[in-house]
Amino acid sequence: DIQMTQSPSSLPASVGDRVTIACRASQSIGTYLNWYQQRPGKAPKLLIYAASNLQSEVPSRFSGSGSGTDFALTINSLQPEDFATYYCQQSYSTPRTFGLGTDVEIK
Amino acid sequence: QVQLQESGPGLVKPSETLSLTCTVSGGSITSGSYFWSWIRQPAGKGLEWIGRMYTSGTTNYNPSLKSRVTISLDMSKNQFSLKLSSVTAADTAMYYCARERGGLVAVPFIDFWGQGTLVAVSS
C-alpha cells in the first residue's frame, strides 16, 4: 500500500492567513493526488484533483502543487468557512489511501 | 446533480454481517467511467477506503478487509451495496458511499459522496 503522510496534523491560523499543508507519498505517484475538505459532521468534499486542478465551484484561494512524492495544498486568505480538516489521497493504485488529515483550527 | 444516500441498520451485533445500500439519484450507475465506492471513518479518525466496483463487475477491495467484504451493484434499482462479515467493535464507524470518477487517461478522484451513515457494532 502507498502510505500518505500529512503535516502538520494541526494548524492554528487566523482569518486572512495564508496556510500550507504538506503531503508526502511513500513512493512516486506522479500527479495522482487529490485533496478533500471535511467540515465537522459532514462528508468530505473534493477541492483539488490531479495535484493542481481546482474542482468546479471551489474558491480560487485554494491551490495545489507538487508531483512525484511531495505535494502541497495552499489556502490564501483563510476564510471562516475554511476551518476544517483537510485530507490528501492518492489515486495511483488500489487500495486508495488517505493522509491522516490536517486540522486547520482557529488560533 | 448526482446524489448518493446510504441506508441500513445503525446497530449490528458482533460476528454478524453489516449490510448497507447506497441509492444513486440524478444519474445512472451504468453510465460513464465511474467506480462505486465505500469508505469508512471511525469517530475522530481518518478515512479508510473499503473498496469499489465498476459496472463491468470489476471489484477492488482493501487487502486489510478483503476476506470480509463484498460490494455489489443492483442496476435495476440504481443502487450498490456493501456487506462486511464477522464484524467487531473495530468496524464501528461512519460509512460513506461515493462515486470515483476517472477513465484510462484521467487521474481518478472521488467527486460525489453520500452524507454517511453511522454503524455501531455492539451486543
Side-chain angles (χ1 to χ4, degrees):
Chain A
D1 299 4
I2 297 174
Q3 306 304 312
M4 307 301 295
T5 303
Q6 279 183 243
S7 61
S9 58
S10 178
L11 182 51
S14 301
V15 173
D17 284 354
R18 180 175 187 263
V19 301
T20 298
I21 299 167
C23 177
R24 174 167 288 178
S26 60
Q27 67 180 71
S28 179
I29 58 171
T31 58
Y32 284 72
L33 190 284
N34 307 310
W35 289 97
Y36 301 88
Q37 175 195 65
Q38 186 176 34
R39 296 189 174 112
K42 299 294 187 182
K45 170 189 170 184
L46 178 68
L47 297 176
I48 302 284
Y49 64 94
S52 61
N53 293 273
L54 195 66
Q55 171 67 341
S56 176
E57 299 185 5
V58 172
S60 59
R61 63 180 179 272
F62 291 92
S63 63
S65 63
S67 67
T69 60
D70 292 303
F71 302 88
L73 172 71
T74 297
I75 311 172
N76 285 302
S77 188
L78 202 63
Q79 296 301 298
E81 60 268 29
D82 300 336
F83 291 98
T85 303
Y86 295 83
Y87 294 94
C88 61
Q89 179 230 8
Q90 64 81 18
S91 59
Y92 181 81
S93 65
T94 59
R96 303 297 193 226
T97 47
F98 296 84
L100 291 180
T102 295
D103 290 329
V104 177
E105 56 188 35
I106 299 173
K107 186 185 291 184
Chain B
Q1 178 85 335
V2 172
Q3 293 186 310
L4 294 86
Q5 178 68 58
E6 305 88 351
S7 59
L11 181 64
V12 181
K13 290 182 167 55
S15 79
E16 296 189 343
T17 296
L18 178 161
S19 295
L20 297 175
T21 297
C22 182
T23 301
V24 180
S25 58
S28 171
I29 62 172
T30 60
S31 64
S33 298
Y34 303 121
F35 280 87
W36 302 97
S37 308
W38 290 95
I39 293 148
R40 69 181 183 178
Q41 184 174 37
K45 296 190 177 180
L47 299 160
E48 180 181 30
W49 185 83
I50 299 171
R52 65 179 189 173
M53 187 170 192
Y54 194 61
T55 49
S56 65
T58 299
T59 54
N60 302 105
Y61 297 134
N62 194 321
S64 67
L65 299 168
K66 187 174 183 177
S67 63
R68 300 194 290 130
V69 173
T70 302
I71 295 174
S72 58
L73 301 185
D74 186 335
M75 298 177 193
S76 67
K77 294 182 180 179
N78 221 38
Q79 295 175 335
F80 62 106
S81 299
L82 168 70
K83 291 189 186 301
L84 181 66
S85 64
S86 305
V87 297
T88 69
D91 295 309
T92 293
M94 183 72 77
Y95 284 76
Y96 294 100
C97 60
R99 187 182 85 168
E100 181 183 280
R101 178 177 182 171
L104 291 176
V105 295
V107 171
F109 54 84
I110 297 170
D111 58 354
F112 289 101
W113 298 69
Q115 65 184 26
T117 188
L118 184 61
V119 179
V121 177
S122 175
S123 54

